[in-house]
């Protein structure tokens, strides 16, 4: 190291053969990095693929992803339609249950038309549950 805190500075610099204006070692004494060995010509390294092979593989990958995207979009559309049907059916069933409750109270009081309403509500609710 070129920078000495204690001792004779001149003798340390002369021993190393350094310039007196240097106060930090620049690492010239360090070994140079080793070069990477070149592979042998007959080694079993894979050959680089041609542009045509790469384009074909990327085209196949793109086609597979496009088909998957279309399939998932169709599936999502089907699930959305099913969800809409379920919401519609539950709203209709809620309305029919309220109508049945009202008609039942009127039928208990002896209202003859309430029995017809009960039959219609019962048929509509059983028809709604079948689909």
């Amino acid at each position: 190291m070129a920078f000495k805190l204690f001792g004779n500075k001149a003798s340390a610099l002369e021993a190393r053969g350094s310039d007196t204006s240097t106060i930090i070692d620049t690492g010239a004494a360090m070994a140079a990095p080793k070069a990477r060995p070149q592979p042998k010509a007959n080694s079993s390294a894979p050959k680089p693929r041609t542009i045509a092979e790469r384009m074909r593989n990327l085209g196949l990958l793109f086609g597979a992803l496009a088909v998957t995207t279309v399939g998932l979009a169709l599936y999502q559309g089907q699930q959305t339609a099913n969800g809409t049907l379920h919401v519609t059916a539950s709203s209709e069933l809620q309305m029919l249950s309220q109508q049945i409750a009202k008609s039942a109270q009127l039928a208990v009081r002896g209202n003859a038309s309430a029995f017809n309403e009960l039959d219609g509500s019962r048929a509509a609710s059983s028809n709604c549950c079948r689909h």
Side-chain angles (χ1 to χ4, degrees):
M1 194 160 109
F3 183 64
K4 295 282 188 180
L5 291 177
F6 303 106
N8 189 357
K9 185 176 181 183
S11 64
L13 290 175
E14 288 172 6
R16 289 184 51 116
S18 300
D19 188 349
T20 58
S21 64
T22 304
I23 58 172
I24 296 178
D25 190 11
T26 59
M30 295 175 27
K34 295 181 180 179
R36 291 177 44 188
Q38 297 296 327
K40 297 178 183 178
N42 60 359
S43 68
S44 62
K47 296 179 182 177
R49 294 183 182 167
T50 64
I51 297 294
E53 289 174 343
R54 289 181 186 174
M55 290 299 291
R56 184 191 54 159
N57 289 341
L58 289 174
L60 290 173
L61 178 64
F62 177 76
L65 291 175
V67 168
T68 303
T69 302
V70 168
L72 289 174
L74 291 174
Y75 177 74
Q76 182 180 8
Q78 181 184 18
Q79 292 301 313
T80 302
N82 286 341
T84 303
L85 288 175
H86 288 144
V87 168
T88 303
S90 66
S91 299
E92 189 175 344
L93 284 174
Q94 182 180 11
M95 185 267 309
L96 289 172
S97 69
Q98 292 171 354
Q99 187 176 1
I100 288 173
K102 179 190 75 133
S103 298
Q105 287 178 355
L106 290 176
V108 168
R109 291 185 187 158
N111 190 342
S113 64
F115 289 104
N116 292 335
E117 284 182 24
L118 275 173
D119 280 339
S121 298
R122 182 190 53 81
S125 64
S126 65
N127 188 25
C128 182
C129 292
R130 288 184 189 163
H131 296 295

